[in-house]
Amino acid sequence: MIEVELRVNGTAHRVELDPRVSLLDALREQLGLTGTKKGCNQGACGACTVLVDGDRIAACLALAVQYGGREITTIEGVAHPLQRAFVRTDGLQCGYCTPGQICSALGMLAEADAGMPSAVTEHLAEPRVTLSSAEVRERMSGNLCRCGAYNGITDAIREVAGARPGVSS
Amino acid sequence: MRPFEYVSAPDVATAVRAISDAPGAKLLGGGTNLVDLMRQDVERPTTVVDISGVPLTGVDELPDGGLRIGALVRNSRLAAHPVVRARFPVLAQALLSGASGQLRNMATVGGNLLQRTRCLYFVDASAACNKREPGSGCDAVGGFHRGGAVLGASEHCIATHPSDMAVALAALDAVVEVESVRGTRRVPLVELHRLPGDTPHRETELEPDELITAVEVPASTAAATSRYRKVRDRASFAFALVSVAAAIDVQDGAVAAVRIALGGVAAKPWRAYEAERVLTGARATEAVFREAAEAELAGAVGLPGNEFKIELARRTIVATLRQLRVEGGAA
Amino acid sequence: MTQAPERVSPPVEPPVVDSGPVVGRPVDRVDGTAKTSGQARYSAEFPYPDITHAALVHADVARGRITTIDSADAEAVDGVLAVITHRNAPKMAEAPKVSLLDLSTMAAGTRVNYLNTDEVHWNGQPVAVVVAETLDAAHAAARLVRVQYEALPAVTDFAAAQGDTKPAKGGMMGAGEAKKGDAEAALATAPVSVDATYTTPPQNHNAIEPHATTAFWDGDELTVHDATQSIDWVRKHLAIRFKVPAAGIRVVATYVGGGFGGKGSVWAGTLLAVLAARVTKRPVRMALTREAVFRTVGGRAPTVQRVALGAGHDGLLTALVHTGVSAVGRTGGNAEPVGSQSQHLYAARSVLIQHRTTELDMLPNTFMRAPGEAVGSFALESAVDELAVELAIDPVELRTRNEPERSPTDGKRFSRQNLARVYADGAERFGWAARDPKPRSMRDGRRLLGWGVATAFHMPIQLPADVSVRLSADGTVLVRSSFHEIGVGAATAQAQITADALGVPLDAVTVEHGDSDQPPAPMAGGSGQTASLAAAVLQACDRIKREALALAGKAPGSPLHGLRPADLRATGGGLFRADVPAGAEHAGETYADILARAGRDHLEARTGSDNRFRSAVGQARFMAGFLNDRRKWVRAAIGAHFCEVAVDEDTGEVRVTRWVGVFDVGRVVNAKTAASQLRGGVVMGIGAALGEETLLDPRTGRIMNPGLGEYHLPVHADVPRIDVSYLDEPDPTAPLGILGIGEVSIVGVAAAVANAVHHATGVRVRDLPVTLDRLL
Ligand SMILES: Cc1cc2nc3c(=O)[nH]c(=O)nc-3n(C[C@H](O)[C@H](O)[C@H](O)COP(=O)(O)OP(=O)(O)OC[C@H]3O[C@@H](n4cnc5c(N)ncnc54)[C@H](O)[C@@H]3O)c2cc1C
Ligand code: SF4
Ligand code: FES
Ligand code: FES
């Protein structure tokens, strides 16, 4: 067992961890933060997406012991206009992929703000990103939605992205 | 997942010592491949040496215009690096076409190079697999092998190497720097991975106690006009069926320099030397592109489920070169 | 005060009620905030202080007997509480015999009595359960259970088993036959004909929430949080299997992370979680891994279909043959009724519909979104397109010309008939008129463009539902029913219906669902939940209004004194005279006033049944009514899909770039959630068209891609803007005019894509999925 300080949504938790425990299971089972979901446990669906120091990652393939001392944000710690936008555009149905979609989108917006390109970025060297529908869809492709709420999700993200200064959609 | 001892290494020296001290130890980078395989009982390290905090995170320009990339640089950061985007677009594109945004934020350069095959039988402990269990046979040959190799495979194993980044690095003549308790050595990327032969379980030229510290990419005139074309079953978030990394320098309609590597077709990123030979000095025409692609795939062997990749690879080579010719012309 | 519940089966043909101010509007989901904030709890997320974790061990032979089980290493793992195998498992009763009088007898996904037998019936069948203090210990130990088998000969190759088929039994998915005239003879003499074989692969639902069960016994009382679409079935089935009274079992499924039919039956995970909780006397959580879902929960069966069409040069069909063979398991499963839509859709002078099955030693199939039609339409609608090409008639025109007056096989009337209209609307929205019918005639750079169409068709079911509605003196309303919120916006829709029925604002209505302590609701399946519940909700609200009126009527001072229900309308939080403008003085009164005067703090009405006998009688009566009704009408939701694909000329990669779907689904309760659900069906159809395939190794019967990395669901980048619209006209034969929208929109999608691919490339792909190797 290893003692780790997990800093989640601004609160520090000292936990004893078997090093096998994934960050996802530590959140869900140890800390009772079940907002982060487990859809595949293999990195393939994005339901477990959380933010670590602002970067989105798949918590199911992260060992919790690797993330001691880092600032972890889960859906429970998110209070952002994007959540209302999801409801307005109906970017959800069963809701199971939704926390992952929202955390992923927040990480993605920060990446776009930092000028990071994607696989569909036409001019790679261009330092600014325009979040077209194609850009949003490519960047969000790590988050599966079996209910097929993709149109609404893209709309919600572009609505929020477009409302911020400095970002065009 | 089986229990293991966890060691967090703050620096290269500690990591190298830890891994040489414990036979059966494995290095942990982003964990996106190792953790997955440990959960499936395919990897069973007794000790896990966590190097995710080792500060090999620089991307530095070399005096000759090349790049030195730390082994712990995250795939997403490398793809976004201004020099990579401007001078080595093939590398940025390869990285960006791999996995997902979340995984690219976790995956490291070293881990990406050493990720293991996605062969369906390799990850299923109930199947016969020479790579996982030497001598047990290969269920993929008579089974599902859509992802299987058409170049350099053997009857013992037809697995492919899944990395996109490695294909770009192969085309760019990258060199891998490795360190162990015995010191530092350099391995050309095209020699890092092995073809299966009758020892498919030996996948690379590295010893189990060696740590990748950096990848160096030399300066190249062709790299500025380079591109990665990945062909896959869905529009995003899928491994390559076939991919092509190509860089070309066309002067007065003739090919002055060209580098091509293929992904999804072999147990290693496949440098297309034959195609390069045909192209070098020739006119940059569609017919020559096709001739080069034919030459490269001349020795390809397919099975019922992956034969299509031979023609697909030819076409993708031609399409990529054609596009580069247009882009190069425009530039 | 609780009123004695009255047993009433919902009327089969209730009166159509005008939609009020809320029904039909694009209201936000009532649970949107819970779901976007991480507060909505799913079945694996209920905290129990001394929770334990269970993991399955799966067989790796297709058929055989267990000879030895060595669990010593597993038991030695720190934290392991029990390794349960057929050697030490408590007895479970067998699954009950299926009876039409009690639909819950169909609950079992398979007939296997897990861990009560040494027999193995498919590769992946659970043969042991490990229970441990932690998740990691349970899964690590499960890997260490060593099981040996005497392998027996097994049939696991669907393609090779085509020689050994038999006629389909009707079964739960209703694979009927139909025959009219001599279709084969008509085909042989038809001036123009097509006759082709189409195949579709096994597919899996892959709801993003894997099946999970949390089970806790307290004596003979059991609480189960289960990811299910059929709470009532789970409860009744568990009562039978564990020989305890159903009344002592509580099943909770407030939120379910998607179902699509995969959570409609009771599968191994649920039973074994409950069994493990019995053994360990601790709460047990069995959260299946994605692999375990693939190995223990059935999917859509593979099919081989023949569609042959004969027509005159005018395009009118003279013969329609649609036959299919699908796989079933030896321990359960149902024929895929692939010809279901072909019985009704086109006016053919002669028709032959037949379903056959072949039995494999594999996990039984189950219903998956639009069983039958989803894959049957691929064959039928591809064949219609092939015929259009042969005839050189526009495929929209060909379908329109063949729209039948009455159902061609049985002469039944259609409750609605709008095929030509949805096609006309769709063609307009899509710009179909600009299409050059020649293949390879349209392009965008190096990408070939193709436009395709196909028809959607689905017959929603209706089941009996119980609800209670309670109107409180403060004007708030509580609706309770143990229905399922699997993503369709069920609570939102029922809140809207209730609000209009009682004339109260939407936010005065609270809907509680997903708990067997509430009145029983039918399974969420067959696109029937919304309409089934609507019938019951309307009836309960009606009774409340009558009671309110009766109370008011007794009071001489009430403006409602002496009025009859027909004189009134429910609005403004009360009952008001229908013949005076809203807001007029003394036109009526609020429920609050009525209740206050009468000294009542609430009114409550409950529809349905309160005991087993009444429930059985009610169900039987309902089924009789329903079947009788089906004898009279073909009641179907329909639609027209229009799509554009772009095919890379070099690599054969197919991407869907544009979609227009126009549907007739009767009345739409919520414009927002309905559109989402219709889009969702299209998205799943795009998956089936381009990528989805469960890879069953024919040598071993083992699923080789039991993960989301290798089973390709569509991702964001695969899905373009999907333009959906609907006629929004009430169906005169359905409660509130509602048909059902859950399934219709997946039907025809794969064919529309394949037809577009043909238009783009000239290549006709008759085997799903349409992967690029088929186009090189
Ligand atoms: C769902 C999914 C989809 C994916 N899709 C793609 C794709 O399309 N294209 C693609 O290219 N990849 C894809 N990947 C793979 C992903 O890119 C790799 O898993 C990742 O790059 C591995 O990096 P890591 O740092 O996480 O490696 P780890 O998992 O940490 O390690 C992988 C291996 O490398 C060894 N290792 C790590 N670092 C070093 C080092 N410095 N020196 C020596 N040995 C080391 C480890 O011991 C281990 O054996 C996908 C992965 C998943 C889960
Ligand atoms: S192809 Fe290689 S990795 Fe796959 S089963 Fe055969 S030996 Fe194993
Ligand atoms: S649960 Fe982590 S990606 Fe699916
Ligand atoms: S909302 Fe159900 S999976 Fe996305």
Side-chain angles (χ1 to χ4, degrees):
Chain A
M1 292 297 234
I2 295 172
E3 197 178 310
V4 189
E5 184 185 83
L6 288 180
R7 302 181 59 82
V8 186
N9 303 328
T11 309
H13 306 263
R14 286 230 140 256
V15 282
E16 287 266 302
L17 287 175
D18 180 329
R20 284 180 292 183
V21 173
S22 68
L23 179 58
L24 176 59
D25 287 341
L27 292 169
R28 284 171 65 85
E29 306 294 339
Q30 239 117 335
L31 303 183
L33 294 170
T34 52
T36 310
K37 305 302 181 196
K38 186 189 280 187
C40 69
N41 221 22
Q42 292 196 293
C45 76
C48 64
T49 307
V50 299
L51 300 167
V52 174
D53 298 333
D55 285 344
R56 52 179 171 160
I57 67 159
C60 66
L61 293 183
L63 295 183
V65 288
Q66 285 185 287
Y67 291 84
R70 313 273 298 272
E71 281 308 329
I72 298 160
T73 307
T74 69
I75 189 71
E76 288 92 346
V78 173
H80 194 279
L82 185 61
Q83 289 158 293
R84 278 221 330 282
F86 262 67
V87 178
R88 216 167 30 242
T89 62
D90 215 32
L92 70 146
Q93 292 186 35
C94 76
Y96 199 78
C97 73
T98 311
Q101 301 276 3
I102 291 172
C103 288
S104 182
L106 294 176
M108 184 276 278
L109 289 171
E111 290 164 12
D113 282 348
M116 291 168 79
S118 85
V120 299
T121 304
E122 193 92 19
H123 304 288
L124 266 186
E126 176 70 42
R128 277 170 55 103
V129 175
T130 303
L131 284 180
S132 64
S133 159
E135 280 281 3
V136 170
R137 291 188 291 128
E138 162 58 26
R139 289 164 189 260
M140 290 299 294
S141 281
N143 291 84
L144 307 191
C145 176
R146 185 52 153 171
C147 297
Y150 291 135
N151 280 187
I153 296 169
T154 305
D155 290 348
I157 294 171
R158 294 189 68 204
E159 186 181 309
V160 167
R164 297 170 321 155
V167 174
S168 46
S169 61
Chain B
M1 191 185 298
R2 296 173 189 233
F4 54 83
E5 185 170 346
Y6 173 80
V7 178
S8 176
D11 51 40
V12 173
T14 317
V16 164
R17 217 174 313 111
I19 192 159
S20 93
D21 284 352
K26 273 273 178 188
L27 296 168
L28 178 68
T32 58
N33 190 229
L34 185 63
V35 171
D36 189 15
L37 291 176
M38 285 168 69
R39 211 170 263 148
Q40 300 189 58
D41 214 28
V42 174
E43 297 271 20
R44 303 167 176 184
T46 50
T47 302
V48 168
V49 180
D50 182 1
I51 54 172
S52 58
V54 173
L56 295 170
T57 51
V59 180
D60 302 308
E61 287 186 72
L62 298 172
D64 70 345
L67 269 187
R68 183 181 167 87
I69 305 160
L72 270 302
V73 176
R74 308 291 153 162
N75 287 183
S76 53
R77 293 291 189 278
L78 182 56
H81 195 279
V83 175
V84 176
R85 284 156 73 173
R87 299 222 307 267
F88 304 94
V90 65
L91 178 57
Q93 285 169 349
L95 286 159
L96 292 169
S97 72
S100 66
Q102 291 91 321
L103 295 171
R104 292 191 295 270
N105 279 336
M106 303 169 78
T108 64
V109 168
N112 188 311
L113 289 177
L114 297 188
Q115 63 174 299
R116 306 196 64 189
T117 184
R118 310 301 288 200
C119 171
L120 302 176
Y121 299 87
F122 174 68
V123 293
D124 185 338
S126 78
C129 170
N130 288 324
K131 189 188 277 298
R132 183 168 30 75
E133 218 174 294
S136 62
C138 171
D139 273 348
V141 169
F144 297 113
H145 47 248
R146 184 174 173 78
V150 292
L151 287 167
S154 76
E155 58 181 308
H156 303 288
C157 181
I158 54 169
T160 48
H161 193 262
S163 168
D164 292 300
M165 179 193 76
V167 181
L169 290 175
L172 292 172
D173 289 315
V175 175
V176 178
E177 187 181 277
V178 297
E179 193 156 321
S180 70
V181 285
R182 296 174 299 283
T184 306
R185 65 183 183 117
R186 292 164 65 83
V187 184
L189 190 121
V190 288
E191 288 166 24
L192 180 70
H193 301 90
R194 298 165 51 110
L195 292 177
D198 54 7
T199 54
H201 57 289
R202 295 203 44 208
E203 292 172 353
T204 70
E205 291 298 332
L206 300 189
E207 297 299 329
D209 68 346
E210 284 182 313
L211 179 139
I212 297 175
T213 49
V215 174
E216 285 190 6
V217 184
S220 131
T221 50
T225 313
S226 66
R227 164 166 288 277
Y228 188 71
R229 175 73 166 93
K230 179 172 178 178
V231 182
R232 45 182 157 178
D233 276 330
R234 42 180 196 199
S236 186
F237 204 16
F239 286 93
L241 290 167
V242 162
S243 68
V244 173
I248 192 165
D249 182 8
V250 179
Q251 300 290 342
D252 304 325
V255 178
V258 63
R259 303 276 181 278
I260 302 173
L262 309 180
V265 293
K268 59 189 290 182
W270 187 268
R271 181 68 180 264
Y273 291 115
E274 269 309 304
E276 291 176 12
R277 194 184 49 75
V278 172
L279 287 163
T280 308
R283 308 299 302 167
T285 64
E286 179 111 4
V288 174
F289 296 163
R290 181 76 200 180
E291 192 190 326
E294 301 275 359
E296 190 59 49
L297 276 300
V301 182
L303 290 165
N306 70 353
E307 214 163 4
F308 71 94
K309 284 184 172 184
I310 300 173
E311 176 59 12
L312 181 61
R314 290 189 197 112
R315 292 183 182 204
T316 311
I317 292 172
V318 174
T320 312
L321 293 174
R322 183 196 307 124
Q323 195 175 354
L324 281 174
R325 184 186 57 193
V326 173
E327 286 169 10
Chain C
M1 183 196 84
T2 42
Q3 233 172 291
E6 224 177 295
R7 172 190 48 77
V8 183
S9 52
V12 172
E13 287 181 40
V16 173
V17 179
D18 276 340
S19 72
V22 188
V23 166
R25 284 198 14 231
V27 170
D28 288 348
R29 285 171 195 269
V30 294
D31 40 26
T33 304
K35 287 176 175 177
T36 53
S37 62
Q39 300 308 312
R41 272 186 203 277
Y42 299 78
S43 296
E45 300 172 351
F46 287 81
Y48 280 86
D50 49 352
I51 191 80
T52 67
H53 300 268
L56 297 177
V57 179
H58 305 275
D60 56 14
V61 296
R63 191 166 156 250
R65 270 178 196 286
I66 300 169
T67 51
T68 61
I69 296 191
D70 176 359
S71 56
D73 287 354
E75 278 156 18
V77 169
D78 207 22
V80 167
L81 298 165
V83 178
I84 312 168
T85 70
H86 72 283
R87 299 264 159 83
N88 59 5
K91 293 285 157 269
M92 271 194 296
E94 299 282 336
K97 284 248 164 344
V98 170
S99 148
L100 269 178
L101 290 179
D102 179 0
L103 295 182
S104 81
T105 54
M106 297 179 177
T110 84
R111 285 190 293 275
V112 174
N113 200 356
Y114 305 102
L115 305 196
N116 277 228
T117 172
D118 62 351
E119 290 174 18
V120 173
H121 300 279
W122 75 86
N123 196 326
Q125 178 185 317
V127 291
V129 176
V130 177
V131 189
E133 297 284 357
T134 68
L135 206 49
D136 287 284
H139 284 281
R143 297 265 182 207
L144 298 177
V145 178
R146 271 175 283 277
V147 186
Q148 259 152 11
Y149 308 89
E150 175 202 346
L152 296 170
V155 182
T156 50
D157 185 343
F158 177 60
Q162 293 302 307
D164 183 16
T165 66
K166 52 187 176 201
K169 294 191 226 104
M172 185 158 182
M173 304 194 311
E177 305 223 330
K179 195 166 173 2
K180 175 178 151 193
D182 186 344
E184 296 287 4
L187 186 66
T189 57
V192 182
S193 66
V194 296
D195 189 341
T197 300
Y198 303 84
T199 69
T200 65
Q203 296 163 351
N204 278 77
H205 312 79
N206 276 314
I208 297 297
E209 180 204 22
H211 295 58
T213 308
T214 307
F216 172 58
W217 286 96
D218 180 2
D220 266 353
E221 308 222 317
L222 171 67
T223 304
V224 181
H225 302 269
D226 195 41
T228 178
Q229 308 173 229
S230 24
I231 288 172
D232 191 44
W233 284 15
V234 171
R235 183 193 210 193
K236 289 177 177 151
H237 191 70
L238 290 177
I240 294 171
R241 302 301 289 270
F242 291 92
K243 299 181 216 116
V244 292
I249 300 179
R250 181 172 174 211
V251 179
V252 185
T254 320
Y255 295 110
V256 179
F260 317 111
K263 290 169 181 165
S265 304
V266 181
W267 299 96
T270 304
L271 290 168
L272 294 177
V274 174
L275 185 87
R278 263 252 130 121
V279 171
T280 55
K281 302 189 167 49
R282 297 263 301 267
V284 169
R285 180 172 301 146
M286 172 95 72
L288 296 191
T289 61
R290 180 60 56 182
E291 178 184 356
V293 177
F294 271 92
R295 302 218 184 285
T296 67
V297 177
R300 202 194 291 282
T303 71
V304 175
Q305 304 175 47
R306 172 183 174 226
V307 177
L309 302 173
H313 291 289
D314 55 3
L316 297 180
L317 290 173
T318 55
L320 188 164
V321 178
H322 192 168
T323 63
V325 177
S326 64
V328 293
R330 235 181 274 284
T331 57
N334 288 282
E336 273 286 331
V338 294
S340 133
Q341 71 284 307
S342 308
Q343 303 182 26
H344 308 294
L345 211 38
Y346 301 119
R349 259 186 272 148
S350 64
V351 179
L352 176 65
I353 312 285
Q354 259 173 9
H355 300 106
R356 300 181 72 82
T357 57
T358 182
E359 262 184 23
L360 300 187
D361 295 291
M362 66 173 207
L363 171 60
N365 69 312
T366 189
F367 22 72
M368 175 165 161
R369 205 173 200 165
E373 295 95 354
V375 288
S377 63
F378 169 64
L380 177 69
E381 293 298 300
S382 292
V384 171
D385 199 67
E386 298 199 40
L387 183 67
V389 172
E390 287 294 316
L391 289 162
I393 296 179
D394 180 87
V396 171
E397 171 62 25
L398 179 61
R399 287 174 172 88
T400 311
R401 270 188 212 172
N402 281 288
E403 181 171 13
E405 292 267 315
R406 287 187 170 224
S407 178
T409 47
D410 47 28
K412 281 191 260 185
R413 281 177 294 154
F414 292 101
S415 69
R416 315 184 45 68
Q417 201 171 20
N418 289 305
L419 191 66
R421 259 175 86 194
V422 292
Y423 266 110
D425 279 14
E428 174 81 35
R429 292 179 85 92
F430 189 83
W432 183 255
R435 180 178 185 258
D436 177 342
K438 236 180 35 264
R440 304 181 73 88
S441 59
M442 294 160 50
R443 57 167 63 235
D444 162 25
R446 289 204 63 86
R447 299 201 304 173
L448 297 162
L449 299 184
W451 291 0
V453 294
T455 306
F457 178 95
H458 182 263
M459 296 178 26
I461 62 168
Q462 233 187 288
L463 294 165
D466 293 2
V467 303
S468 73
V469 178
R470 181 189 175 104
L471 171 71
S472 294
D474 63 1
T476 61
V477 180
L478 177 64
V479 179
R480 297 175 77 241
S481 175
S482 67
F483 66 81
H484 311 84
E485 171 43 29
I486 58 175
V488 305
T492 314
Q494 298 308 325
Q496 289 174 267
I497 291 167
T498 307
D500 281 2
L502 291 177
V504 299
L506 182 62
D507 60 12
V509 183
T510 303
V511 180
E512 289 179 359
H513 56 87
D515 187 331
S516 62
D517 278 357
Q518 297 143 356
M523 79 176 288
S527 299
Q529 190 174 253
T530 304
S532 302
L533 284 163
V537 165
L538 290 179
Q539 202 172 28
C541 291
D542 201 49
R543 252 190 265 146
I544 285 180
K545 286 185 283 190
R546 282 173 196 273
E547 197 182 346
L549 179 61
L551 290 176
K554 282 187 216 138
S558 166
L560 299 174
H561 183 75
L563 294 179
R564 288 166 306 130
D567 303 330
L568 299 172
R569 95 180 142 217
T571 180
L575 298 174
F576 292 84
R577 287 173 55 166
D579 60 350
V580 298
E585 288 279 307
H586 299 295
E589 43 179 0
T590 64
Y591 300 119
D593 290 344
I594 298 171
L595 267 68
R597 184 187 312 106
R600 297 278 289 271
D601 61 6
H602 72 272
L603 299 176
E604 178 157 343
R606 177 169 165 158
T607 61
S609 47
D610 65 333
N611 65 39
R612 259 180 92 170
F613 172 72
R614 284 175 160 182
S615 155
V617 171
Q619 263 196 17
R621 182 184 296 180
F622 184 88
M623 281 312 286
F626 177 70
L627 293 174
N628 182 37
D629 179 54
R630 274 220 163 172
R631 269 195 279 281
K632 283 197 298 214
W633 297 99
V634 174
R635 185 190 292 126
I638 58 152
H641 292 291
F642 289 75
C643 79
E644 176 184 271
V645 299
V647 183
D648 189 296
E649 205 180 355
D650 293 304
T651 62
E653 289 159 291
V654 180
R655 304 291 179 242
V656 177
T657 50
R658 214 148 65 80
W659 203 281
V660 170
V662 179
F663 302 91
D664 179 11
V665 292
R667 159 121 53 219
V668 163
V669 179
N670 184 322
K672 192 179 284 202
T673 56
S676 292
Q677 224 187 326
L678 291 168
R679 286 196 185 96
V682 174
V683 172
M684 198 176 271
I686 290 174
L690 296 181
E692 292 185 37
E693 174 168 17
T694 306
L695 300 173
L696 247 124
D697 194 319
R699 300 168 299 179
T700 57
R702 190 166 177 86
I703 294 172
M704 291 314 302
N705 61 339
L708 296 181
E710 289 72 30
Y711 182 103
H712 282 157
L713 305 180
V715 298
H716 272 279
D718 290 306
V719 177
R721 164 86 22 209
I722 298 168
D723 174 65
V724 297
S725 54
Y726 40 80
L727 303 181
D728 199 11
E729 293 166 1
D731 183 288
T733 67
L736 210 73
I738 301 168
L739 289 173
I741 54 174
E743 294 166 282
V744 62
S745 70
I746 191 178
V747 180
V749 171
V753 171
N755 295 341
V757 166
H758 176 263
H759 182 230
T761 63
V763 180
R764 176 67 62 181
V765 180
R766 299 191 182 92
D767 308 285
L768 290 183
V770 185
T771 46
L772 59 86
D773 44 304
R774 304 195 203 270
L775 299 173
L776 286 181

